[in-house]
Amino acid sequence: ADALGGTLNNHSTGGLGMHAFWRDPSRGLMGVTGSDFSVDGDSGYRYGLEGEVYEGPATFSLRGGWQGGNVNHTGYGTGNFSYYPVTDLMLQTGASRYSAENSAHLGLEWQPAQYLSLAPGFSLFGDAAVGDGNNGHVLGGLRYYFGGGNKPLIDRHRQDDPENSFTNDLSQVA
């Protein structure tokens, strides 16, 4: 289960979602997704498919489906390529399409576990995107992974719950 609440572009936002998936940490992931969300009083839903393929230090991921409700009725899709030059650093690039809007992004996440033995689930992340209509964002912050003990970032991404997609989903409709 996933959840998100807050503000985005000065609009109140929130949502609940679910994943049902099969995963083999050495090969990949296949699953279905569904969510219900609200952006500044407009409610909608998304349902779709997600998949990941793991090839050594590289991960290829795709998500896509259909959106409806009292927001744009349209298809959506996202593709990402993630590379781990070392097991605790992820570099990522990707592209998204929603309605007739396109965007591209660059991101990274670093888990400095070898330097912070008291907080093995702590990481730093950043993401920058540019899209049609002068849309874009720059995000950065701290992330903490609960549970799982002291393991490399690549293992967290391939063994734990798939990422919460609401950040990308809500930014597309806000």
Side-chain angles (χ1 to χ4, degrees), residues 24-70:
D24 177 339
S26 66
R27 295 173 51 196
L29 172 145
M30 293 185 307
V32 296
T33 63
S35 63
D36 187 57
F37 59 87
S38 173
V39 178
D40 200 30
D42 291 328
S43 61
Y45 58 85
R46 279 188 165 185
Y47 55 87
L49 302 173
E50 64 183 340
E52 297 178 350
V53 174
Y54 311 137
E55 189 62 44
T59 298
F60 304 91
S61 61
L62 292 172
R63 290 184 63 246
W66 183 256
Q67 171 183 296
N70 64 346

Side-chain angles (χ1 to χ4, degrees), residues 36-144:
D36 187 57
F37 59 87
S38 173
V39 178
D40 200 30
D42 291 328
S43 61
Y45 58 85
R46 279 188 165 185
Y47 55 87
L49 302 173
E50 64 183 340
E52 297 178 350
V53 174
Y54 311 137
E55 189 62 44
T59 298
F60 304 91
S61 61
L62 292 172
R63 290 184 63 246
W66 183 256
Q67 171 183 296
N70 64 346
V71 295
N72 289 341
H73 288 234
T74 184
Y76 66 92
T78 300
N80 287 314
F81 170 73
S82 304
Y83 184 74
Y84 299 82
V86 295
T87 59
D88 284 319
L89 175 65
M90 178 195 69
L91 306 174
Q92 187 178 75
T93 186
S96 297
R97 182 162 177 87
Y98 160 74
S99 193
E101 301 280 327
N102 299 300
S103 66
H105 83 100
L106 295 172
L108 64 88
E109 184 174 1
W110 177 51
Q111 178 181 265
Q114 66 272 29
Y115 307 111
L116 301 170
S117 59
L118 295 176
F122 170 76
S123 74
L124 302 166
F125 71 91
D127 190 80
V130 62
D132 294 338
N134 293 324
N135 290 318
H137 69 253
V138 175
L139 300 171
L142 308 173
R143 181 173 288 138
Y144 189 80

